[in-house]
């Protein structure tokens, strides 16, 4: 939260300028150093000049009013006619500067919350970006209930804090029933405090302000006692408090908390597009897509609205014994876009539960198929694989750092060499090897064919394993082997699904139909936890029978098929279509590829692996010998930290720097992300 208050109206002409001036004078009277701002002004600059004179600030007019149009028109119309775009960054910079100079900045708005500043950016977006609460200025007379309640509703739905409503008598008029009763009705219906009614002051002049008339009237009629303490929270103190609570009560995943408590955390408060904003107002490019989930950027209007619309119907109802509309609609949508083999959708909550249900399904399928198949109980997975943190998912994973501690809890899995060409586990060189690792896989499968229920694979890229990109043809051969030896193929597309690799699903790169497909992460565009396990009809049919045969799949989670999550997933799929996400991604993938070439010049970059919009940069202590940095040196963590200081959030895996931008990132943003990573690697590896 920044040190400001935004004065918005229910409409134009409600007297925002007088209220802004009155508030500025009153807060100054209470001992605060008050700054004023009128970010956008059209017509003459009278309001701005009035505010400056009244409040007595010495700030340059370009700071107080960074955006000015000569024509007295609505901002968007004026900007189009004058051919000048409204520069939101300039407004934000001016506001930041004023915040540095003053205890609090009173920002006078432009009409109401829904006034457009560009085609898809409204006053409410500006308020969110300035990160300050609002005071709503309203007319006290007939018609104001509707306008005020709509303003409150929109502010709340946008996530804007409301301090209260001030009624302003802009005309000399006898008070009728409406004027007398509207404030209390509005307070009751909206739950927003009414700060008071500012009585009519005849043509407020600079002199009125100098003599104290406006200030005295304001102080007498408007409650502002809570304002300086409750809403002008000095952001550093606010953050410190959150930080203390975090360090006292939170336990962060995959984090050595001893280190965590020594460091200053970034506390994210909001996001917009490719950017995350912390509580101090610093912004960062989200190079991690908030852990590989975000697709269309943060606060994507269509998904926001889909979720809100669903909230107005129902937020949760169970799929156990009932069905719900979004869960049904989404299942059809998923089957339409998934590889053709797949016909059924089983929902769960996250990647790990998608994996659990997939492996249990495969296991039970064979158990129920007949006595010849009862021995098919094991799973084949790859070394370096990671499929989640629940015990079943850990059993089919093999990253010793994460998994070895739990060995005695796990079921036995057969592991095969991964296609990790940079450090080939069978010491061959690609492409001369002709995919020798697949031959090794075939040997393992053929030896265990009667024991194996399924093979689990992350198609094309083993992401958590360190962005291990499989060479062309590997996936297809894996499918052939599974078919040949009659074992099910489970494709874990929890991380690689939904366009990340350049195609909707990674399996499509080699036209491979899996028997079970696991989806999560980006399924909801990065909004909500939801997972889906898709299967072929044959597996589904294997569970059918008389009730008394108990062939039922006894598995399901409380929030399975949650309507809010399914609604966000449908909106996500709509956007893929409407915005032709995959088409527009192709150029950006090529750009990323070009931008990465220069990394080979860096002395400690051993390998660069890219598949679509997924990048892994493996750092080595010695390029010739591929000697790894000792883990204790935390090279990846230090680079991510350096990048964070430069305005980019990334999260490494060991010595591998990882970049996974939202698919909606612009070319400029991609360029900036890559530049920051380059500089960060250079800066950190030079220190060594
Ligand atoms: N599979 C893969 C390939 C993953 O990357 C992950 C998470 N990184 C999971 C499964 C587990 O997903 P979750 O963390 O949502 O349980």
């Amino acid at each position: 939260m920044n040190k400001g208050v935004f004065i918005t109206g229910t409409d134009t002409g409600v007297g925002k300028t007088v209220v802004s001036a009155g508030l500025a004078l009153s807060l100054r009277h209470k001992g605060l150093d008050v700054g004023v701002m009128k970010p956008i002004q059209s017509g003459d600059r009278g309001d701005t000049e009035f505010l400056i004179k009244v409040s007595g600030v010495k700030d340059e007019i370009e700071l107080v009013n960074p955006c000015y149009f000569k024509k007295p028109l609505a901002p968007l119309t004026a900007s189009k006619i004058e051919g000048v775009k409204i520069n939101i960054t300039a407004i934000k910079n001016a506001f930041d500067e004023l915040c540095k100079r003053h205890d609090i900045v009173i920002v006078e708005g432009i009409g109401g919350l829904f006034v457009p500043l560009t085609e898809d950016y409204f006053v409410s977006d500006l308020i969110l970006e300035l990160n300050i609460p609002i005071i709503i200025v309203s007319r006290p007379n007939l018609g104001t209930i509707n306008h005020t309640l709509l303003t409150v509703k929109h502010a709340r739905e946008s996530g804007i804090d409301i301090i209260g409503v001030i009624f302003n008598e802009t005309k000399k008029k006898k008070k009728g029933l409406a004027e007398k009763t509207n404030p209390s009705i509005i307070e009751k219906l909206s739950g927003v405090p009414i700060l008071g009614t500012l009585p009519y002051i005849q043509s407020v002049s600079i002199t009125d302000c100098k003599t104290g008339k406006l200030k005295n009237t304001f102080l007498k009629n408007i409650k502002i006692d809570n304002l300086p303490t409750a809403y002008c929270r000095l952001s550093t103190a606010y953050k410190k408090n959150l930080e203390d609570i975090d360090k006292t009560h939170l336990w962060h995943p995959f984090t050595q908390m001893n280190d965590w408590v020594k460091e200053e955390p970034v506390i994210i408060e909001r996001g917009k597009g490719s950017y995350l904003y912390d509580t101090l107002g610093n912004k960062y490019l989200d190079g991690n897509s908030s852990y590989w989930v975000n697709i269309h950027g943060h606060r994507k209007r269509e998904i926001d609205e889909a979720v809100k619309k669903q909230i107005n119907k129902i937020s949760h109802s169970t799929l156990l014994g009932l069905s719900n509309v979004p869960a049904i609609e989404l299942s059809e949508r998923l089957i339409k876009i998934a590889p053709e083999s797949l016909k059924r959708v089983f929902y769960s909550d996250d990647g790990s539960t998608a994996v659990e249900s997939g492996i249990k399904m495969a296991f039970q399928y064979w158990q129920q198929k007949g006595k010849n198949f009862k021995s098919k109980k094991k799973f084949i997975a790859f070394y370096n694989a990671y499929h989640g943190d629940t015990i079943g998912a850990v059993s089919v994973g093999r990253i010793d750092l994460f998994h070895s501690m739990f060995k005695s809890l796990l079921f036995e899995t057969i592991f095969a060499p991964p296609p990790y060409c940079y450090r080939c586990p069978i010491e061959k060189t690609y492409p001369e090897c002709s995919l020798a690792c697949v031959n090794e896989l075939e040997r393992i499968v053929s030896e265990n064919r009667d024991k194996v229920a399924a093979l689990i694979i992350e198609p094309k890229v083993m992401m958590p394993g360190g962005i291990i990109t499989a060479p062309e043809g590997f996936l297809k051969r894996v499918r052939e082997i599974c078919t040949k030896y009659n074992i099910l193929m489970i494709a874990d597309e929890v991380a690689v699904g939904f366009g990340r690799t350049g195609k909707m699903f990674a399996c499509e790169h080699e036209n491979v139909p899996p028997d079970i497909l696991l989806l999560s992460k980006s399924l909801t565009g990065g909004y909500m936890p939801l997972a889906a396990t898709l299967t072929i009809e044959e597996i589904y049919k294997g569970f059918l029978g008389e009730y008394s045969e108990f062939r039922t799949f006894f598995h399901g989670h409380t929030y399975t098929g949650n309507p809010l999550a399914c609604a966000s997933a449908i909106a996500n799929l709509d956007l893929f279509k409407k915005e032709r996400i995959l088409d527009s991604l192709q150029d950006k993938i090529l750009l990323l590829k070009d931008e990465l070439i220069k990394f080979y010049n860096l002395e400690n970059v051993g390998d660069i692996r890219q598949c679509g919009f997924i990048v892994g940069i493996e750092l080595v202590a010695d390029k010739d010998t591929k000697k790894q940095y000792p883990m204790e040196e935390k090279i990846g963590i230090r680079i991510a930290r350096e990048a964070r200081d430069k305005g980019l959030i990334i999260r490494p895996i060991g010595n591998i720097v990882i970049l996974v931008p939202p698919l909606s990132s612009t070319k400029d943003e991609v360029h900036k992300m890559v530049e920051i990573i380059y500089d960060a690697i250079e800066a950190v590896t030079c220190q060594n």
Side-chain angles (χ1 to χ4, degrees):
M1 191 63 75
N2 277 318
K3 303 183 295 176
V5 177
F6 196 99
I7 310 297
T8 190
T10 51
D11 202 348
T12 192
V14 288
K16 291 189 302 295
T17 311
V18 170
V19 170
S20 303
L23 183 61
L25 289 167
S26 306
L27 290 176
R28 204 168 66 181
H29 174 79
K30 286 182 175 284
L32 286 173
D33 177 341
V34 184
V36 287
M37 188 175 188
K38 173 86 189 166
I40 301 167
Q41 169 102 67
S42 49
D44 67 43
R45 250 178 170 169
D47 286 356
T48 305
E49 280 155 6
F50 177 78
L51 275 179
I52 292 178
K53 282 198 184 126
V54 165
S55 55
V57 293
K58 300 276 177 293
D59 303 310
E60 307 80 326
I61 193 160
E62 291 73 22
L63 269 187
V64 177
N65 173 224
C67 177
Y68 170 61
F69 297 109
K70 287 192 190 68
K71 298 223 163 39
L73 296 165
L76 182 59
T77 321
S79 101
K80 282 194 168 158
I81 287 178
E82 295 186 21
V84 190
K85 267 199 144 189
I86 294 176
N87 186 341
I88 304 292
T89 311
I91 294 174
K92 177 89 192 350
N93 291 343
F95 175 74
D96 287 345
E97 178 56 32
L98 291 173
C99 281
K100 279 187 208 143
R101 297 184 187 180
H102 302 282
D103 294 333
I104 181 167
V105 181
I106 311 290
V107 185
E108 186 194 333
I110 314 100
L113 295 182
F114 237 134
V115 169
L117 302 182
T118 71
E119 242 87 48
D120 61 353
Y121 192 95
F122 299 86
V123 166
S124 51
D125 294 309
L126 177 63
I127 297 170
L128 279 172
E129 204 141 347
L130 299 183
N131 198 17
I132 53 179
I134 58 170
I135 287 178
I136 299 169
V137 183
S138 182
R139 293 180 291 119
N141 46 337
L142 203 66
T144 204
I145 297 180
N146 176 53
H147 282 77
T148 313
L149 292 183
L150 281 174
T151 303
V152 168
K153 184 167 189 277
H154 182 56
R156 282 195 174 133
E157 285 176 359
S158 309
I160 295 170
D161 281 344
I162 309 169
I163 299 175
V165 180
I166 294 178
F167 292 95
N168 188 15
E169 290 177 356
T170 51
K171 290 196 185 90
K172 192 172 174 60
K173 222 178 139 224
K174 243 187 107 201
K175 274 193 184 165
L177 194 60
E179 285 80 355
K180 284 184 193 146
T181 55
N182 280 346
S184 59
I185 293 175
I186 288 171
E187 188 161 44
K188 194 156 174 236
L189 294 179
S190 67
V192 171
I194 302 302
L195 305 180
T197 300
L198 192 62
Y200 176 68
I201 309 172
Q202 199 174 10
S203 59
V204 187
S205 64
I206 307 274
T207 325
D208 287 330
C209 300
K210 295 233 162 92
T211 59
K213 189 167 157 193
L214 176 61
K215 178 190 78 192
N216 293 338
T217 316
F218 201 93
L219 282 171
K220 193 166 155 220
N221 293 284
I222 310 294
K223 289 180 273 179
I224 57 161
D225 290 348
N226 283 337
L227 239 158
T229 44
Y231 297 102
C232 315
R233 294 180 286 196
L234 287 174
S235 32
T236 42
Y238 172 56
K239 193 212 156 173
K240 184 76 187 67
N241 184 36
L242 284 173
E243 186 179 326
D244 289 347
I245 299 172
D246 177 299
K247 290 180 176 173
T248 313
H249 295 297
L250 263 178
W251 188 347
H252 289 263
F254 282 92
T255 303
Q256 177 44 258
M257 293 303 287
N258 243 343
D259 293 343
W260 176 267
V261 294
K262 284 185 215 137
E263 297 230 351
E264 197 190 333
V266 168
I267 303 174
I268 298 300
E269 194 172 49
R270 65 206 165 88
K272 180 79 185 157
S274 303
Y275 285 94
L276 299 165
Y277 294 80
D278 70 12
T279 42
L280 298 175
N282 299 313
K283 71 176 189 175
Y284 308 87
L285 279 159
D286 188 357
N288 184 34
S289 286
S290 293
Y291 199 8
W292 312 345
V293 298
N294 193 281
I295 297 284
H296 310 284
H298 296 278
R299 293 207 47 239
K300 182 72 181 169
R301 187 170 49 81
E302 287 84 346
I303 310 185
D304 288 0
E305 281 171 5
V307 175
K308 286 177 197 159
K309 210 167 145 192
Q310 184 57 42
I311 287 178
N312 289 333
K313 294 178 182 164
I314 188 166
S315 293
H316 183 65
S317 138
T318 179
L319 277 199
L320 279 69
L322 293 172
S323 202
N324 73 61
V325 179
I328 294 173
E329 287 176 359
L330 178 61
S331 68
E332 187 190 32
R333 296 286 299 271
L334 286 174
I335 293 302
K336 269 196 184 137
I337 57 167
E340 238 185 46
S341 55
L342 303 160
K343 296 285 180 262
R344 294 278 162 178
V345 177
F346 186 90
Y347 291 116
S348 61
D349 311 333
D350 50 42
S352 303
T353 53
V355 173
E356 292 293 334
S357 52
I359 54 186
K360 281 175 75 179
M361 227 175 239
F363 179 90
Q364 190 174 338
Y365 166 73
W366 290 115
Q367 290 307 301
Q368 293 177 167
K369 196 166 167 68
K371 64 176 187 324
N372 291 346
F373 302 100
K374 285 231 187 277
S375 59
K376 286 173 92 60
K377 291 181 176 176
K378 287 202 187 312
F379 290 85
I380 294 191
F382 293 91
Y383 290 104
N384 296 67
Y386 169 95
H387 296 285
D389 292 331
T390 50
I391 292 301
V394 172
S395 298
V396 292
R398 192 63 181 267
I399 297 179
D400 284 343
L401 180 65
F402 303 160
H403 298 151
S404 60
M405 163 61 73
F406 303 105
K407 208 164 171 220
S408 59
L409 288 179
L410 310 178
F411 58 73
E412 200 189 314
T413 294
I414 302 161
F415 289 96
Y420 189 0
C421 299
Y422 182 63
R423 297 184 188 280
C424 178
I426 51 171
E427 292 173 11
K428 302 267 191 240
T429 312
Y430 181 78
E432 296 85 55
C433 65
S434 311
L435 297 180
C437 51
V438 196
N439 298 335
E440 179 57 12
L441 172 73
E442 178 158 9
R443 188 190 61 75
I444 295 171
V445 174
S446 78
E447 270 176 19
N448 294 285
R449 62 175 89 182
D450 298 332
K451 288 192 227 153
V452 176
L455 171 143
I456 180 164
I457 181 173
E458 260 190 284
K460 292 306 278 180
V461 194
M462 296 170 71
M463 282 187 71
I467 315 293
I468 299 173
T469 47
E472 180 91 38
F474 179 85
L475 184 64
K476 207 171 185 73
R477 286 283 314 279
V478 171
R479 172 71 264 187
E480 284 162 9
I481 293 168
C482 290
T483 310
K484 184 169 167 192
Y485 296 97
N486 198 23
I487 64 174
L488 298 174
M489 178 182 173
I490 305 177
D492 177 353
E493 295 222 20
V494 166
V496 293
F498 296 98
R500 257 335 132 193
T501 65
K503 296 211 184 260
M504 195 58 164
F505 299 112
C507 280
E508 291 172 28
H509 285 276
E510 299 189 15
N511 255 326
V512 158
D515 300 306
I516 295 178
L517 175 68
L518 313 175
L519 304 173
S520 186
K521 289 199 189 275
S522 305
L523 170 56
T524 58
Y527 266 61
M528 303 243 171
L530 178 70
T533 301
L534 277 58
T535 78
I536 54 172
E537 197 67 358
E538 192 193 324
I539 294 181
Y540 168 77
K541 282 195 176 141
F543 287 73
L544 302 180
E546 289 303 318
Y547 179 80
S548 54
E549 289 177 76
F550 302 118
R551 296 169 78 91
T552 307
F553 187 40
F554 289 110
H555 183 107
H557 302 276
T558 311
Y559 280 99
T560 289
N562 172 262
L564 291 181
C566 291
S568 56
I570 294 169
N572 172 36
L573 296 183
D574 285 343
L575 282 165
F576 262 100
K577 220 168 160 184
K578 185 176 129 205
E579 298 192 354
R580 305 173 64 87
I581 299 294
L582 295 174
D583 289 346
S584 60
L585 189 62
Q586 304 311 319
D587 267 1
K588 294 190 280 188
I589 291 173
L590 293 178
L591 170 94
L592 188 54
K593 194 167 177 208
D594 282 351
E595 298 254 1
L596 288 170
I597 293 169
K598 63 174 179 285
F599 281 70
Y600 280 111
N601 302 335
L602 291 170
E603 215 175 297
N604 300 94
V605 168
D607 195 22
I608 300 166
R609 299 188 283 274
Q610 184 197 359
C611 179
F613 238 30
I614 304 166
V615 177
I617 300 166
E618 181 158 346
L619 298 157
V620 283
D622 184 326
K623 222 172 186 160
D624 296 330
T625 60
K626 300 186 183 175
K627 184 172 167 240
Q628 310 213 22
Y629 276 105
M631 276 296 175
E632 302 78 295
E633 281 202 26
K634 296 189 196 165
I635 196 83
I637 293 175
R638 279 161 53 209
I639 289 167
R641 185 59 209 255
E642 182 76 22
R644 191 175 99 182
D645 292 344
K646 296 179 188 314
L648 170 72
I649 300 291
I650 47 172
R651 187 169 165 92
I653 293 176
N655 298 336
I656 298 153
V657 171
I658 292 175
L659 176 66
V660 181
L663 303 193
S664 58
S665 308
T666 62
K667 287 185 178 173
D668 280 351
E669 286 166 352
V670 171
H671 172 75
K672 207 165 156 195
M673 291 185 202
V674 175
E675 286 292 293
I676 292 178
I677 293 179
Y678 188 92
D679 292 347
I681 294 178
E682 206 171 30
V684 172
T685 51
C686 278
Q687 293 160 7
N688 269 53

